[in-house]
Amino acid sequence: MIEISFGKLVLLALIALIVLGPEKLPGAARTAGALLRRMRNGWESVRAEVERELEVEEIRRAAREAAKQAEAVQEQAGAVQQQVMEGTRQVREPVETAVAMMKSADPVVAKDESPADPVDPHQATLPSGEPASGRTEPAHD
């Protein structure tokens, strides 16, 4: 802004006193002061508005960057999901093939039937003739 030193201010006051006279000088000073206040207030409001616009633009820029980062993370998550899906497909296919082969080879498994007579663990014996429970004497319940 305009720099006015004390010497320049005194010179302006003397010129105004000569031009306006002592009767009109106080009114002119009040008017000049009011005009100067209006200019400063106007300048401050313009400056504040520019700062607000800059802040809004900064927020918009940050939002755009955050959106780009979110898109990148979403793309990475999609790629990982595709890899997992491919891995499960690669594992599922051989398992399904093996299950299908087992069902076709064993009719009991294909029908999901349980054995006709369940084995009592106390009565089962190992191929060597020993009891399967690990006891050598008969079990007493």
Side-chain angles (χ1 to χ4, degrees), residues 57-93:
E57 186 59 36
E58 180 66 25
I59 290 170
R60 286 180 183 158
R61 185 185 60 78
R64 283 191 300 267
E65 287 178 7
K68 286 180 184 177
Q69 290 175 350
E71 285 178 11
V73 168
Q74 189 174 15
E75 288 176 7
Q76 289 175 348
V80 168
Q81 182 183 11
Q82 288 291 6
Q83 290 175 349
V84 168
M85 296 288 281
E86 179 64 24
T88 54
R89 186 187 61 76
Q90 289 176 355
V91 169
R92 186 180 63 228
E93 287 176 355

Side-chain angles (χ1 to χ4, degrees), residues 55 77 130:
E55 288 173 0
E130 296 178 24

Side-chain angles (χ1 to χ4, degrees), residues 92-112:
R92 186 180 63 228
E93 287 176 355
V95 169
E96 288 175 349
T97 304
V99 168
M101 289 174 58
M102 288 175 60
K103 283 183 178 182
S104 66
D106 189 3
V108 174
V109 175
K111 294 179 184 177
D112 284 331

Side-chain angles (χ1 to χ4, degrees), residues 108 112-119:
V108 174
D112 284 331
E113 294 179 359
S114 59
D117 54 332
V119 177

